[in-house]
Amino acid sequence: MLDKKNFYINGKWVSPKKNNDYKVINPSNEEPCAVISLGSVEDVNNAVNSAKNAFETWAFTSKEERLKYLESLYSIYKKRWADMAKAISLEMGAPIDFSTQLQAGTGASHIKSYIKVLKEYTFEKILGDHAPNNKILHEPKGVCALITPWNWPMNQVCLKVIPAIAAGCTMVLKPSEIAPLSSMILAEMIDEIKLPAGVFNLVNGDGAVTGNALTSHPDVNMISFTGSTRAGALISKNAANDFKRVSLELGGKGANIIFKDADDEAVERGALRCFRNTGQSCNAPTRMLVEKSIYPEAVERVKKFANSMKVDIASKEGDHIGPVVSKTQFDKIQTLIQKGIDEGAKLVAGGTGKPNGMKKGYFVKPTAFADVNNQMEIARTEIFGPVLSIIPFETEEEAIAITNDTPYGLLNFIQTQDQEKANRVARKLRSGMVDINGAGLAPDAPFGGYKHSGIGREAGKLGLEEYLEVKAVSGWSNN
């Protein structure tokens, strides 16, 4: 079992102030794979103080200096790619091939993307020809509390840590205590590039103590959080006391509108996007809306696809899906699958219980319900497991209304070969992102949502600007 009890504070690996061990569980076999420490208020205070002191100089470093650190980090990340993939696979159950290609790959992709963004970004500019002595300065917000989830650990960590570094902020990262190992590898990389002490700090811990101490700390200037909508609301209340800047990337209940003129792979593509990462993606299309004339065929295709999907342990190579991350998640998903059955939805694949032969591990059957209506709990709750709800619709207007009838608004999907219709529908969907025919969003496209799906955007130029304050200066002269 790995011993990962230390925190990274002020450029050094340090012991926690109090012993508070926590076992990280391998979800493929339900056995401990590592032990970490849960940080105390005192640990958080030390980390925040370190970040506050470092900010005094780091905030005034040049763009070129920060670029050199990020380029060095990218080089080291590529060398440790396999280590990162293994850690993610171990801690949260992503199959090793998926973890290597996508889970670890997203971290590298975001570092590379932000190098490009930083090179092109102008931090100081004149307001305009009409006001040549008015200078607009984009300055780092200060000490940032970065709180990340377990489902896409490096994707979310790098979407916060990298732009924070690029902007000139300092930070304290609290990764999910369920999946902290990958973040500790990133901390090792940051230590290797000799980032100035205190710019990056890592304290493991839970939300109740460590997270609360971090988000309520008076010396924290900004909070960037990815996780549940419920936790996001609590964090916002903490932040309000000191008017901290807040960026929240929260839940989703994406719809995938499949019109009768969709391409031949639309149904399977949508089901795969729902089931991959074992359904543990906030932007997964978990509601499949199908035009009635092709509805029976689509249901049969989903049934065949779900029944053909393999489930196996994370360390095994292949294109299967792995376990969900924890017993808590497993139990929640089982309860919601049973709720769907009780509500009268037609179970066409999967169901409660573990797949055949999977006695240990938090494995869930790829599950699909047909004849779902949008008022059922399975259509309204973010299940965060491999569970798909299929809903029929008759008209374009009805599809739009069903899609928008949700507290969430993260990512929706449209499948049609009529580009004019696709564009028209995309404009009417109340979500931060829309994917047409599986085109996929670029790494630097703004990621975020409307309504209960959050506040702010991650990735690209807008993601960098989340970490910047705007200062207008009049009377500026370069003479």
Side-chain angles (χ1 to χ4, degrees), residues 46-109:
N46 288 344
V48 172
N49 188 57
S50 169
K52 182 182 178 182
N53 291 335
F55 183 72
E56 296 299 318
T57 52
W58 179 250
F60 298 98
T61 53
S62 68
K63 180 170 84 170
E64 290 71 26
E65 186 176 351
R66 299 196 294 271
L67 270 169
K68 287 180 181 178
Y69 284 115
L70 292 185
E71 287 167 345
S72 296
L73 181 61
Y74 182 59
S75 177
I76 292 170
Y77 192 105
K78 288 189 292 183
K79 292 177 183 176
R80 297 201 62 185
W81 195 303
D83 295 338
M84 185 64 76
K86 289 176 184 175
I88 295 172
S89 183
L90 178 66
E91 68 190 359
M92 59 75 61
I96 189 61
D97 287 354
F98 184 84
S99 186
T100 301
Q101 295 161 17
L102 285 166
Q103 286 279 7
T106 57
S109 175

Side-chain angles (χ1 to χ4, degrees), residues 161-365:
V161 169
I162 306 307
I165 291 173
C169 291
T170 58
M171 68 215 71
V172 180
L173 170 67
K174 190 203 84 65
S176 169
E177 70 274 23
I178 296 174
L181 306 179
S182 52
S183 290
M184 299 184 84
I185 289 177
L186 184 70
E188 292 171 5
M189 298 181 200
I190 288 173
D191 185 64
E192 189 173 342
I193 66 171
K194 305 299 182 188
L195 196 68
V199 172
F200 171 87
N201 304 274
L202 181 149
V203 178
N204 283 315
D206 58 12
V209 176
T210 320
N212 183 67
L214 194 52
T215 56
S216 61
H217 200 291
D219 290 330
V220 167
N221 305 109
M222 179 200 173
I223 302 167
S224 181
F225 169 79
T226 298
S228 71
T229 298
R230 179 193 61 80
L234 294 172
I235 284 170
S236 295
K237 291 175 183 177
N238 264 358
N241 294 326
D242 293 312
F243 299 94
K244 292 176 172 60
R245 304 298 190 259
V246 177
S247 178
L248 303 172
E249 201 279 283
L250 308 176
K253 192 67 181 176
N256 184 15
I257 305 172
I258 301 182
F259 290 100
K260 62 184 178 183
D261 62 348
D263 67 72
D264 292 340
E265 298 176 355
V267 171
E268 289 77 12
R269 184 168 62 241
L272 177 62
R273 280 298 300 267
C274 174
F275 294 144
R276 77 174 192 179
N277 206 42
T278 321
Q280 299 171 122
S281 300
C282 56
N283 59 352
T286 53
R287 294 181 295 154
M288 181 178 283
L289 279 54
V290 183
E291 195 161 355
K292 276 193 174 178
S293 62
I294 61 166
Y295 181 76
E297 177 195 350
V299 170
E300 285 302 310
R301 287 167 64 181
V302 169
K303 178 180 179 179
K304 182 179 178 182
F305 185 88
N307 286 332
S308 68
M309 179 154 278
K310 299 184 288 291
V311 181
D312 214 326
I313 59 174
S315 59
K316 186 175 180 179
E317 294 180 353
D319 61 355
H320 57 283
I321 62 172
V324 296
V325 75
S326 67
K327 185 178 188 303
T328 298
Q329 286 299 120
F330 177 85
D331 291 344
K332 173 193 170 187
I333 295 162
Q334 296 300 310
T335 298
L336 285 165
I337 291 173
Q338 186 59 52
K339 181 70 174 179
I341 296 168
D342 296 342
E343 286 181 314
K346 181 181 178 183
L347 184 68
V348 296
T352 57
K354 295 182 181 180
N356 290 337
M358 309 302 290
K359 294 181 180 179
K360 290 199 75 176
Y362 307 121
F363 295 96
V364 176
K365 298 174 185 176

